[in-house]
């Protein structure tokens, strides 16, 4: 698949040489120019002898070109989010045995790298690099529910197989122009927002994260993001639920006027949020995936959307349900975890519970995150949190109710303009959509959950154990107090 993809890029350089492949900050790169730019970076890597390379750049042409060069040279590519903490970066560099860093001087020097002739390239001696699963070409680090990043090892063929499946879906609705909204270090955007559009021979626009309104890991200026989206008028976007909710507030009464396929995933999506998007004319389609499965596994498609489902499996994926309902995935799986000598999995237990509605998969929560109330009712907190964050006033929510007579929620308001009365009304509306045992009886305001404060992962998933520890005193205080 890797050779086929690279040959395909070469063929596009001949068949549509003037077509823009990549653009960022007013600079464009055509398909005719793309192979030469990739080859030049491959030569730099070869001259330096870089074999395990950390890629830590802002979204832009350089990120995309280095990523493609690392694929072509078969070096190990370790994309690093710009907002990883110094401790997380040091952990990744040591655990992966990184010998080369493509990134800013301040980070490189702090990690013990030395400069080269290129101001972006840094190196260090690695006497005995840790062993990797055979064929590893990318290590994507996912923080999971703890603060220590965990490396998922992937080969290029697996990633490109998933990208090919996504391209097949996008081709059917005429997608030609993609705007990258998430960090390219996020596997979902890397595969779905870079490789898939290139399979299509389309164009990818890569604004810097600051230009898109990202403020480190803890903030997002939806007004600025909306300006970029309106200017670019893309055919496709990849969004997480929080971004979708924030951007819907910016649209106003004007019709959207563009867009063919906007994918949303990465966390539980409230049906109420999807309904808001549909009413506003957004072509939003929910999907589901995991890093261990090279990102996307299922996806709703135009003309076959099943409300409340994450769609049917993509062509490369095979899904079965275990006796207890756990979702099991086969096809295009990871090689293994970094530092784990277990053989390559052939069937992956996701930890998610599911059911079939026709050919579509409906998620029923996590096996291990469900809490049991004092009345013996099982509640998936992500379900309740999705209903809360579907309200425009609430940006983030964490719900807890283990062994308690009533559930409580920690709420992060959308902005300083949101007062307590607005939050109370938002909770009341969400509660109306929930059965009595899942409703929130007590809530309080909280600061944003971010990787910086250890309360969320890089892709926005809540670190539930860390939240429970941080707010232990509040959890132990009776609701009546």
């Amino acid at each position: 698949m890797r050779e086929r993809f690279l040959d395909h890029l070469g063929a596009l350089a001949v068949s549509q040489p003037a077509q823009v492949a990549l653009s960022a900050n007013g600079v464009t790169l055509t398909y005719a120019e793309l192979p030469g730019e990739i080859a030049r970076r491959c030569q730099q890597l070869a001259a330096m002898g870089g074999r395990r390379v950390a890629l830590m750049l802002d979204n832009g042409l350089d990120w995309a070109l280095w990523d493609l060069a690392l694929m072509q040279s078969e070096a190990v590519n370790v994309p690093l989010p710009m907002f990883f903490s110094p401790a997380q970066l040091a952990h990744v560099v040591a655990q992966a045995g990184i010998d080369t860093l493509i990134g800013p001087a301040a980070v490189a020097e702090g990690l013990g790298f030395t400069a080269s002739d290129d101001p972006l390239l840094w190196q260090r001696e690695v006497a005995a690099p840790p062993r990797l699963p055979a064929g590893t070409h990318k290590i994507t680090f996912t923080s999971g529910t703890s603060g220590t990043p965990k490396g998922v090892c992937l080969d290029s063929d697996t990633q490109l197989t998933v990208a090919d499946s996504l391209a097949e879906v996008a081709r059917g609705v005429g997608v030609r122009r993609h705007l990258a909204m998430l960090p390219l270090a996020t596997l979902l955007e890397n595969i779905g927002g870079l490789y898939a559009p290139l399979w299509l021979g389309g164009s990818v626009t890569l604004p810097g994260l600051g230009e898109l309104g990202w403020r480190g890991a803890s903030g997002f200026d939806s007004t600025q993001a909306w300006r970029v989206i309106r200017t670019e008028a893309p055919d496709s976007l990849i969004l997480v639920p929080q971004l979708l909710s924030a951007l819907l507030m910016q649209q106003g009464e004007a019709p959207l006027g563009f867009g063919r396929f906007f994918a949303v995933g990465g966390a539980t999506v409230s049906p109420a949020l999807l309904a808001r998007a549909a009413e506003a004319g957004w072509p939003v389609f929910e999907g589901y995936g995991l890093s261990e499965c090279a990102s996307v596994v299922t996806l709703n498609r135009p003309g076959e959307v099943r409300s409340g489902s994450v769609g049917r499996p993509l062509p490369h994926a095979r899904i079965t349900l275990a006796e207890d309902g756990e979702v099991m995935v086969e096809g295009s799986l990871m090689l293994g975890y970094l530092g784990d000598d277990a053989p390559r999995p052939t069937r992956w237990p996701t930890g998610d519970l599911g059911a079939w509605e026709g050919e579509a998969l409906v998620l029923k929560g996590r096996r291990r995150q469900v809490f049991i109330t004092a009345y013996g009712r099982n509640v998936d907190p992500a379900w309740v949190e999705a209903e809360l964050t579907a309200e425009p006033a609430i940006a983030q929510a964490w719900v807890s109710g283990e062994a308690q007579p009533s559930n409580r929620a920690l709420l992060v308001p959308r902005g300083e303009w949101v007062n307590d009365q607005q939050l109370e009304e938002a909770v009341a509306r969400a509660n109306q959509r929930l059965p009595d045992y899942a409703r929130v009886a007590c809530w309080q305001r909280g600061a944003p959950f971010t990787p910086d404060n250890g309360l969320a992962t890089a892709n926005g998933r809540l670190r539930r154990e860390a939240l429970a520890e941080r707010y232990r005193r509040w959890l132990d205080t009776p609701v009546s107090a």
Side-chain angles (χ1 to χ4, degrees):
M1 185 63 78
R2 171 184 163 275
E3 292 299 328
R4 178 183 157 206
F5 177 73
L6 295 172
D7 288 345
H8 178 63
L9 294 183
L12 289 171
V14 175
S15 64
Q16 51 179 48
Q19 169 69 36
V20 172
L22 307 171
S23 64
N25 303 317
V27 179
T28 61
L29 194 69
T30 66
Y31 275 95
E33 297 167 325
L34 186 60
E37 290 292 331
I38 295 172
R40 182 170 65 81
R41 286 165 174 79
C42 287
Q43 291 169 0
Q44 283 183 273
L45 288 170
M48 294 182 69
R51 299 309 302 161
R52 298 193 185 186
V53 185
L55 180 55
M56 191 177 180
L57 297 173
D58 192 6
N59 280 15
L61 294 181
D62 270 330
W63 200 105
L65 291 168
W66 278 114
D67 179 80
L68 294 168
L70 288 164
M71 178 188 291
Q72 181 163 310
S73 66
E74 297 188 87
V76 178
N77 179 5
V78 186
L80 296 178
M82 298 290 286
F83 46 78
F84 261 16
S85 69
Q88 288 176 318
L89 291 172
H91 169 83
V92 168
V93 167
Q95 191 184 31
I98 291 171
D99 55 54
T100 304
L101 174 72
I102 305 173
V107 172
E109 291 169 351
L111 293 170
F113 288 82
T114 58
S116 70
D117 293 337
D118 189 314
L120 284 181
L121 298 180
W122 303 78
Q123 287 196 294
R124 71 177 190 124
E125 291 286 338
V126 180
R131 187 171 57 177
L132 299 176
T136 298
H137 293 148
K138 182 166 288 172
I139 307 175
T140 182
F141 276 85
T142 173
S143 297
T145 56
S146 67
T148 303
K150 193 172 188 178
V152 174
C153 298
L154 300 165
D155 60 20
S156 293
D157 286 353
T158 295
Q159 299 172 74
L160 291 169
T161 296
V162 176
D164 191 30
S165 284
L166 293 171
E168 181 179 324
V169 174
R171 185 179 293 111
V173 292
V175 169
R176 297 295 296 169
R177 299 178 63 251
H178 179 78
L179 172 63
M181 289 293 298
L182 304 179
L184 285 166
T186 304
L187 188 64
L188 175 59
E189 189 72 77
N190 189 182
I191 291 177
L194 180 61
Y195 302 158
L198 292 178
W199 267 125
L200 293 170
S203 299
V204 184
T205 303
L206 303 164
L209 295 175
E211 184 183 346
L212 285 168
W214 289 100
R215 300 291 179 261
S218 60
F220 179 69
D221 184 343
S222 58
T223 302
Q224 187 167 335
W226 181 242
R227 282 198 295 266
V228 175
I229 292 172
R230 290 291 295 178
T231 299
E232 297 295 335
D235 294 329
S236 62
L237 298 170
I238 298 172
L239 302 170
V240 295
Q242 290 178 28
L243 265 64
L244 175 60
S245 181
L247 292 168
L248 283 171
M249 294 179 63
Q250 296 293 330
Q251 181 181 353
E253 298 298 324
L256 190 63
F258 60 87
R260 295 178 180 273
F261 198 99
F262 296 169
V264 60
T268 303
V269 188
S270 164
L273 177 58
L274 293 172
R276 281 175 52 204
E279 290 172 4
W282 289 52
V284 172
F285 302 91
E286 185 179 5
Y288 163 71
L290 307 87
S291 296
E292 290 85 352
C293 304
S295 195
V296 189
V297 174
T298 70
L299 193 61
N300 278 283
R301 278 85 147 177
E304 55 177 85
V305 174
R306 283 184 176 268
S307 179
S309 85
V310 291
R312 62 182 171 90
L314 289 173
H316 71 272
R318 297 179 298 280
I319 294 179
T320 56
L321 300 180
E323 288 186 5
D324 64 354
E326 183 174 9
V327 178
M328 311 293 288
V329 180
E330 298 175 72
S332 296
L333 302 182
M334 67 173 181
L335 300 171
Y337 287 121
L338 177 62
D340 187 346
D341 292 331
R344 181 175 187 172
T346 57
R347 189 168 182 249
W348 187 250
T350 65
D352 294 307
L353 301 175
W356 293 109
E357 285 190 3
E359 295 183 347
L361 178 67
V362 178
L363 296 180
K364 299 292 187 178
R366 295 284 295 171
R367 286 186 63 195
R368 296 179 182 86
Q369 84 178 18
V370 172
F371 62 76
I372 304 176
T373 71
Y375 298 103
R377 298 305 300 265
N378 293 340
V379 178
D380 177 14
W383 164 39
V384 184
E385 289 154 1
E387 293 299 338
L388 290 167
T389 55
E391 294 295 324
I394 302 174
Q396 292 175 296
W398 171 58
V399 173
S400 179
E402 180 67 34
Q404 297 293 321
S406 57
N407 305 325
R408 63 186 75 198
L410 189 67
L411 306 178
V412 178
R414 184 72 61 187
E416 295 180 359
W417 52 269
V418 177
N419 58 40
D420 285 355
Q421 180 62 33
Q422 290 170 301
L423 288 177
E424 182 67 36
E425 293 169 355
V427 171
R429 285 191 296 270
N431 277 340
Q432 289 177 356
R433 301 192 293 269
L434 294 165
D436 56 358
Y437 63 86
R439 291 173 183 164
V440 172
C442 171
W443 62 269
Q444 76 172 30
R445 299 170 75 105
F449 314 144
T450 72
D452 290 343
N453 61 24
L455 301 181
T457 66
N459 66 356
R461 292 184 185 272
L462 302 186
R463 291 195 177 116
R464 298 184 181 278
E465 292 180 4
L467 281 158
E469 184 63 29
R470 180 76 59 88
Y471 292 96
R472 177 60 56 195
R473 180 174 298 180
W474 176 59
L475 292 177
D476 291 341
T477 302
V479 171
S480 59

